[in-house]
Amino acid sequence: MSEPQIESDKHSLPNETSKKRLEKVTAFITRGPSEARELLVFRHPHGSVQLPAGTVEEGEPAAEAVLREVWEETGLTAVRIVSCLAAVPQSMRADERVVLRHVQMLQRPDPDAPAAIAGFASYLGLRRGLYVRLLDISDDGRYAQIAYEEFDGPAHLFTAPSRSVSGWVDADSVTDDIVRHHFHLTTTERTDDSWIQTAEEWEHRFELYWIPLTGPNARIPELLPFQAAWLEEYGGRIVTD
């Protein structure tokens, strides 16, 4: 499978220069005319329905990132960007952080401390873009104690994680300064009504399908709450663009 070709960078917004800022992208992919428009969503193995989304790599324009994420999560290459809907700060909980770079958790706030050990096989280490929970800051401010957590279902439905591992990392390796770029894309070739895509890095199987946004069978997809808010914000534009 070939990666999507980037025709133009005209839809990108300037990358932010803040040292601790991380950028993410969301893809509202549609097909069909305005009166019969459909939105592409997928069911995650943990049960939640989601929009394709992901993290911008260092030095990567947001427009390239969204096409890469679309390819990785849906397998689609015959898509084009219609518009950049917005680039806005992402709301975060007070204890929520995102990992800026690959980093190893330590058992103590000390560079010579042994690595924290996770007791579950699905933990593949901390990588750029992962969400973690802030537990504490060292007295000198150089280290942050964080927890990586996994849930056997949509996280907002659980009061406690199913699995977790905690440890210390450099404080500047996590951030709560997130800018999210929302893009509207459309298909340029015929697509199936549903299919399975395996996300290679995590080997997750995503069940992709189209939801009618207009017409006699129109309905609102049961997205994760924060993504549902994004759809409410930009739904009108992706129907009329």
Side-chain angles (χ1 to χ4, degrees), residues 43-241:
R43 184 171 297 281
H44 192 277
H46 290 164
S48 58
V49 177
Q50 303 182 25
L51 299 166
T55 301
V56 179
E57 299 297 341
E58 291 188 80
E60 183 182 34
E64 291 188 15
V66 76
L67 290 174
R68 174 181 53 76
E69 289 291 348
V70 166
W71 170 67
E72 291 175 358
E73 296 192 354
T74 75
L76 294 178
T77 59
V79 295
R80 67 175 178 86
I81 295 173
V82 177
S83 64
C84 179
L85 299 164
V88 294
Q90 180 171 310
S91 298
M92 303 278 284
R93 299 189 316 270
D95 65 346
E96 192 173 20
R97 297 294 185 271
V98 178
V99 178
L100 284 167
R101 62 181 183 272
H102 177 77
V103 65
Q104 186 177 57
M105 281 194 287
L106 304 174
Q107 294 182 19
R108 302 187 308 274
D110 180 334
D112 297 322
I117 299 174
F120 50 101
S122 56
Y123 176 67
L124 301 177
L126 296 180
R127 61 175 175 81
R128 181 177 172 86
L130 275 185
Y131 289 88
V132 295
R133 187 162 58 89
L134 179 67
L135 303 176
D136 199 3
I137 298 290
S138 63
D139 291 339
D140 60 8
R142 294 175 54 196
Y143 292 91
Q145 186 183 32
I146 60 171
Y148 168 75
E149 301 172 331
E150 292 185 351
F151 299 82
D152 289 333
H156 67 284
L157 300 180
F158 289 78
T159 57
S162 306
R163 295 166 296 280
S164 69
V165 57
S166 63
W168 295 86
V169 297
D170 289 341
D172 64 0
S173 67
V174 295
T175 185
D176 62 354
D177 185 1
I178 313 298
V179 169
R180 183 168 290 272
H181 302 256
H182 297 287
F183 285 93
H184 177 201
L185 302 92
T186 189
T187 55
T188 57
E189 296 178 0
R190 183 188 176 280
T191 60
D192 293 336
D193 291 334
S194 63
W195 66 96
I196 301 293
Q197 171 72 4
T198 300
E200 294 180 1
E201 184 169 8
W202 297 96
E203 297 185 352
H204 286 157
R205 286 169 55 86
F206 297 154
E207 302 174 24
L208 291 120
Y209 56 98
W210 298 92
I211 294 286
L213 297 178
T214 59
N217 298 316
R219 59 191 177 94
I220 299 174
E222 296 181 0
L223 296 168
L224 293 169
F226 58 92
Q227 291 195 346
W230 298 340
L231 180 59
E232 183 176 3
E233 176 75 18
Y234 305 113
R237 291 176 59 185
I238 67 174
V239 165
T240 57
D241 279 356

